Amino acid sequence: MVKYINILALLLFPVFFQSQVLGKTETEDYKAAFEEKQSIELVSDYKGDIQIPIQILSIGFTPELYEFYPELKDNRVGLGVSNIVLSYLEGTNRFIFTEDKEEIKQRMIKQHIASEKGISQNEIKVKGNILLAKYFVYVEVYDYSVSEEEEISKDGVKVVQKTIIGMQVRFVDAQSGSIITGSGSGEAVTIKKSSFSDSLSDVKFNQSTIGISTKKSLETAASRVVSKMIKSGIFKE
């Protein structure tokens, strides 16, 4: 009987030793209640009659911000955020979007003048007045970090690199200047593995984590700001 126990121990010992963690470094993970994940689907499928005109501005990521946090510019944080927010909000069917680019507005005016003078091949009729935005919308970043957790075992080293981005969508009332905000925190993980004979420095930072965490944070932020508008009675549902 003792002989069989010894044989079993010899068989299991390599498995135990192989999976044994020799050292580990961890970072505390915290997420506030106001930035917890919330799907945009929660505020979609809107069938009400009210659609609010808004204008999305690309003003949240200024040169001053990039100067204060150069790592944001280096890792291209902020690229395309206005387009992503527009896509999320458009899917809710609650808003009408007005153009923010001055060049487009000037082209509209010139085209209308040409139509009025009769010098254009086709006629463009302007229906009523130009639609003005009820809210101006822009995005700000309030958190950005890249952390690493290291685990050392018999087989080598595993490093889990976590990218976290916190973004806030801000609706500014065009008449009063009052704001409604929605915040969201998004994260993406890159796992690096190497044996002791390899160098972890050869594993490059995965730029795609920026895009993934940005989309996650903006989905939550857009959903939360619409939820606040529903709660305040701006939308009925």
Side-chain angles (χ1 to χ4, degrees), residues 167-169 181-184 216-226:
M167 291 191 177
Q168 186 176 81
V169 175
T181 66
S183 301
K216 286 181 177 181
S217 64
L218 289 177
E219 178 179 6
T220 294
S223 180
R224 286 190 173 278
V225 75
V226 174

Side-chain angles (χ1 to χ4, degrees), residues 13 30-32 108 135 149 156 160-161 163 175 188 195 211-212 221:
F13 179 76
Y30 173 77
K31 191 172 290 186
M108 290 171 63
Y135 292 95
E149 296 181 357
V160 178
Q161 187 182 74
T163 302
Q175 289 182 310
S195 63
I212 295 170

Side-chain angles (χ1 to χ4, degrees), residues 20-24 150-158 196:
Q20 185 181 16
V21 176
L22 305 178
K24 191 173 184 179
E150 186 177 73
E151 184 178 293
I152 303 173
S153 66
K154 175 181 176 294
D155 294 328
V157 180
K158 180 175 79 171
F196 288 113

